[in-house]
Amino acid sequence: GIEVNNTILNKRMTWGVGAFYGDTDDDGDSDFNNNTRADIAFRLTGLPFYDDDGRRLLHLGLGYLFQARSEGGDRLRYRTRPESHLTDVRLVDTGRIAAKNANLLNPEIAFVWGPFSLQGEYFWNKVDSTEANDPTFQGAYFFGSWFITGENRPYSTKGGTFGRVKPKRNFLDDGGFGAWELGLRWSWIDLNDENIQGGEENNFTVGLNWYLNPNYRLMFNYVYADVKDRGPFEDPDGNLFRTEDGDANIFQMRFQVDF
């Protein structure tokens, strides 16, 4: 693939566009000879408000993805984990859909006011599929965070993204306690439309992050996942079975070293 990006208006806006080609068959093996898979992606971001070196800002963005496929042999699949990458179980799953193409729109917004921040995105995905009667899938998330120790989420005007948190006082550095962040998150995905019954899921997360210094952090999360309206479900071994509506409770902790 190839991608180009840059900033405009004195780094108050960013843009990026990319084209990617590849193929993955049903077994997950890479193969460039069977079916064509071409993706075109675009993203535009802007800063209507930016003050105090990013401690106060409003970020707006819009992304677009076009996925070209061959309906005669190629397939698309949409599924997701329940806000935890410690499991390979996907509680919602469309299965493999024969499709000509798919168009995905992705508006985004973020607001930072000192130690407080809010962020959200919405996903709208239209699949051109005769087999599935052209379904539309949707998803969104929204979260808020508060740095108890007064830091803020650092923002990169070069990429229109948030970066590495730097504590005001590193842990054990002149008596420092690092940075402590409390977060709340809600996410939703609906993979039910037309001939597809992949399920609908709502996740609620409470998290506490401890940044000992810019390279080390501890994360504690509790996730409640509520799932409904699922059709036949495929487990990690590829076995199909029918399930009822249900929920999951996830407690997880991670220690991360990042350089």
Side-chain angles (χ1 to χ4, degrees), residues 2-240:
I2 186 171
E3 179 183 353
V4 292
N5 57 74
N6 209 337
T7 62
I8 56 178
L9 300 180
N10 195 28
K11 295 186 177 181
R12 296 297 289 266
M13 296 188 70
T14 72
W15 63 268
V17 61
F20 310 93
Y21 172 79
D23 184 84
T24 304
D25 62 25
D26 285 348
D27 295 326
D29 298 324
S30 179
D31 187 346
F32 281 83
N33 299 317
N34 290 338
N35 305 309
T36 299
R37 289 194 171 195
D39 296 342
I40 298 175
F42 174 79
R43 182 172 182 254
L44 179 70
T45 73
L47 285 170
F49 174 73
Y50 185 83
D51 188 41
D52 196 14
D53 292 327
R55 277 189 61 84
R56 294 188 294 270
L57 64 86
L58 174 64
H59 160 103
L60 299 175
L62 180 65
Y64 170 72
L65 173 66
F66 176 76
Q67 297 177 290
R69 297 295 184 265
S70 171
E71 191 169 25
D74 214 348
R75 293 176 179 267
L76 290 169
R77 185 179 191 180
Y78 302 99
R79 56 182 182 166
T80 184
R81 296 177 175 88
E83 297 290 357
S84 173
H85 284 264
L86 300 180
T87 177
D88 286 329
V89 173
R90 275 78 166 181
L91 298 180
V92 290
D93 188 347
T94 63
R96 297 176 177 89
I97 307 170
K100 298 177 183 177
N101 58 66
N103 291 271
L104 189 148
L105 283 175
N106 169 214
E108 57 189 70
I109 185 171
F111 174 75
V112 176
W113 194 266
F116 300 95
S117 70
L118 299 171
Q119 180 174 319
E121 295 187 57
Y122 169 73
F123 302 87
W124 180 89
N125 191 357
K126 182 67 174 179
V127 180
D128 184 356
S129 169
T130 303
E131 177 185 272
N133 199 25
D134 299 340
T136 298
F137 306 123
Q138 302 178 75
Y141 75 81
F142 188 80
F143 80 82
S145 82
W146 170 44
F147 278 93
I148 304 170
T149 46
E151 289 81 3
N152 64 282
R153 297 177 65 202
Y155 184 87
S156 169
T157 56
K158 182 178 179 180
T161 58
F162 289 98
R164 186 192 306 271
V165 173
K166 297 181 178 180
K168 290 184 175 181
R169 298 176 64 187
N170 292 335
F171 180 60
L172 297 182
D173 184 5
D174 296 328
F177 293 96
W180 289 80
E181 179 187 26
L182 180 65
L184 297 174
R185 176 184 172 98
W186 164 79
S187 63
W188 161 75
I189 187 169
D190 185 355
L191 298 180
N192 291 329
D193 194 48
E194 299 298 341
N195 298 341
I196 304 298
Q197 191 175 358
E200 182 179 356
E201 179 176 345
N202 282 274
N203 298 315
F204 304 90
T205 304
V206 179
L208 179 65
N209 298 321
W210 180 23
Y211 302 85
L212 288 77
N213 58 48
N215 304 104
Y216 295 82
R217 67 171 172 169
L218 274 169
M219 291 163 281
F220 307 87
N221 281 345
Y222 165 69
V223 183
Y224 173 74
D226 179 64
V227 186
K228 62 182 180 179
D229 298 333
R230 291 187 294 185
F233 182 76
E234 182 176 325
D235 69 12
D237 296 324
N239 301 311
L240 283 175

